[in-house]
C-alpha cells in the first residue's frame, strides 16, 4: 500500500510582512498545481512590523486548514522555532525554508520527486553542485559563504555539498530526532543537522536550487553570525 503523504511547510518569520504574502502564494501555487496535501505553519516571533497581522489575513484567504498560525511572543531562535512548528505539524514530511523569497517554492515538487525516487530521509537544496547557483550577493558575501562551505567540507566531511543552506525536506520522525540531537543555534544549526544526519546514517539526497538574496527587508547575516559560525565549526569538529 502506498504511503499516504502530507507535507508541512514550516515558515519561521521575523519582520517578513512584505515577503510573507508572496511566499505563501507561491507555495500554494506550486503545491496546489501538483495536487499535494500540505499545510503552511507560520511561526512568527513577535515581529514589530505587522507580520502576524499579515499572516492572519492569509489565514482568512486560504483557510485555517492550509495556513496554521503558531506565533511566539518574542524572538527565540531558529532551532526552537522548528521544534515549536514540528509539535503542531500534521504532515509526515516537513519542508524547512526561509520566508524571505530566497528559496523559491518552484523547487518543492522536485524535492518531493527526488525523495520518492531514492526513498531518502532528507533532501537538501544545494547552491554548489549540479547547476545550483546564487544571485544577488556581492563578492564579499559569496566568498564568505563559499569559504565557510569549503572549510566545513574539509574539516567535517559531511557527505553533502551545501551545509549552510536551509531549504530542506525531511521525514518528520527524522527531523524530530535530528532537532533533539543538535546543540547549535543560529546559522550553525543547519550545518549541525546535516552532520548529525550523517552520524545517524540517514540517507541524504540533493536538489540543485537557485538562491536569490532577499527582495524586501534586511539580511540577518552580520559579524556576530560569522563569529558564531566559526565557533560552531570548531565545536562540530571537536565533537564529531
Amino acid at each position: 500500500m502506498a504511503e499516504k503523504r502530507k507535507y508541512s511547510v514550516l515558515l519561521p518569520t521575523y519582520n517578513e510582512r512584505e515577503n510573507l504574502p508572496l511566499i505563501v502564494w507561491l507555495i500554494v501555487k506550486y503545491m496546489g498545481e501538483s495536487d499535494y496535501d500540505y499545510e503552511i505553519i507560520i511561526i512568527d516571533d513577535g515581529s514589530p512590523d505587522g507580520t502576524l497581522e499579515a499572516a492572519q489575513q492569509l489565514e482568512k484567504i486560504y483557510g485555517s486548514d492550509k495556513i496554521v498560525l503558531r506565533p511566539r511572543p518574542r524572538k527565540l531562535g531558529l532551532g526552537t522555532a522548528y521544534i515549536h512548528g514540528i509539535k503542531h505539524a500534521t504532515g509526515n514530511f516537513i519542508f524547512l525554508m526561509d520566508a524571505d523569497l530566497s528559496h523559491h517554492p518552484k523547487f518543492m515538487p522536485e524535492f518531493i520527486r527526488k525523495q520518492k525516487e531514492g526513498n531518502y530521509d532528507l533532501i537538501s537544496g544545494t547552491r554548489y553542485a549540479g547547476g545550483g547557483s546564487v544571485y544577488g550577493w556581492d563578492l564579499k558575501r559569496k566568498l564568505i559563504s563559499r569559504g565557510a562551505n569549503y572549510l566545513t567540507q574539509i574539516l567535517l566531511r559531511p557527505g553533502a555539498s551545501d551545509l549552510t543552506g536551509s531549504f530542506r525536506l525531511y521525514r518528520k520522525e527524522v527531523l524530530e530526532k535530528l532537532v533533539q540531537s543538535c546543540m547549535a543555534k543560529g546559522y550553525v544549526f543547519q550545518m549541525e543537522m546535516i552532520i548529525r544526519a550523517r552520524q545517524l546514517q540517514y540517507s541524504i539526497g540533493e536538489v540543485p536550487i537557485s538562491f536569490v538574496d532577499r527582495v524586501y527587508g534586511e539580511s540577518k547575516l552580520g559579524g556576530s553570525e560569522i563569529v558564531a559560525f566559526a565557533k560552531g565549526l570548531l565545536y562540530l569538529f571537536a565533537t564529531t
Side-chain angles (χ1 to χ4, degrees):
M1 184 176 177
E3 179 182 21
K4 182 173 173 58
R5 293 165 171 264
K6 181 176 181 179
Y7 298 91
S8 296
V9 184
L10 302 192
L11 285 183
T13 59
Y14 187 77
N15 287 349
E16 299 290 0
R17 178 177 59 85
E18 293 175 301
N19 293 316
L20 188 61
L22 183 52
I23 191 71
V24 167
W25 181 81
L26 288 167
I27 293 170
V28 170
K29 169 181 166 61
Y30 286 101
M31 294 297 281
E33 283 180 353
S34 301
D35 202 28
Y36 294 124
D37 188 12
Y38 70 95
E39 62 184 357
I40 303 169
I41 302 176
I42 299 171
I43 306 120
D44 185 64
D45 273 6
S47 298
D49 73 337
T51 298
L52 181 58
E53 288 75 10
Q56 290 167 340
Q57 290 300 313
L58 293 169
E59 182 186 34
K60 291 178 182 176
I61 293 168
Y62 296 107
S64 57
D65 59 325
K66 292 299 182 194
I67 307 296
V68 181
L69 306 184
R70 293 294 180 263
R72 303 190 297 175
R74 63 186 186 280
K75 201 171 183 181
L76 297 169
L78 189 61
T80 58
Y82 289 147
I83 293 169
H84 185 68
I86 291 166
K87 287 178 181 175
H88 299 284
T90 60
N92 51 346
F93 289 86
I94 295 182
F95 273 102
L96 304 185
M97 62 190 303
D98 293 343
D100 63 3
L101 300 174
S102 58
H103 298 147
H104 200 299
K106 70 181 180 181
F107 295 107
M108 295 173 80
E110 180 61 19
F111 276 56
I112 293 170
R113 187 199 64 77
K114 183 73 173 182
Q115 190 282 322
K116 289 179 178 179
E117 177 187 278
N119 196 30
Y120 291 105
D121 297 311
L122 154 61
I123 299 294
S124 179
T126 178
R127 299 162 289 180
Y128 303 126
S133 56
V134 175
Y135 297 96
W137 280 1
D138 59 21
L139 180 60
K140 178 183 175 182
R141 184 151 186 194
K142 285 183 178 179
L143 288 173
I144 289 171
S145 180
R146 284 276 188 179
N149 206 60
Y150 180 68
L151 272 175
T152 305
Q153 295 291 337
I154 291 175
L155 293 176
L156 303 179
R157 301 187 183 279
S161 63
D162 190 346
L163 268 75
T164 55
S166 54
F167 192 1
R168 295 177 186 164
L169 172 63
Y170 293 85
R171 291 184 183 275
K172 184 180 181 181
E173 67 273 15
V174 169
L175 180 58
E176 287 174 324
K177 189 161 185 179
L178 289 174
V179 167
Q180 290 167 5
S181 69
C182 288
M183 302 296 291
K185 296 180 180 179
Y187 294 92
V188 182
F189 177 81
Q190 300 292 358
M191 187 166 65
E192 186 176 7
M193 293 271 276
I194 292 287
I195 301 303
R196 301 301 177 197
R198 182 202 65 188
Q199 282 186 322
L200 294 168
Q201 297 186 320
Y202 290 129
S203 55
I204 303 172
E206 292 190 317
V207 168
I209 63 166
S210 299
F211 177 95
V212 181
D213 198 20
R214 61 167 47 245
V215 178
Y216 300 109
E218 295 181 0
S219 172
K220 300 177 179 72
L221 178 66
S224 61
E225 284 78 14
I226 295 170
V227 172
F229 169 82
K231 289 180 178 178
L233 182 57
L234 290 173
Y235 159 75
L236 290 174
F237 181 66
T239 59
T240 59

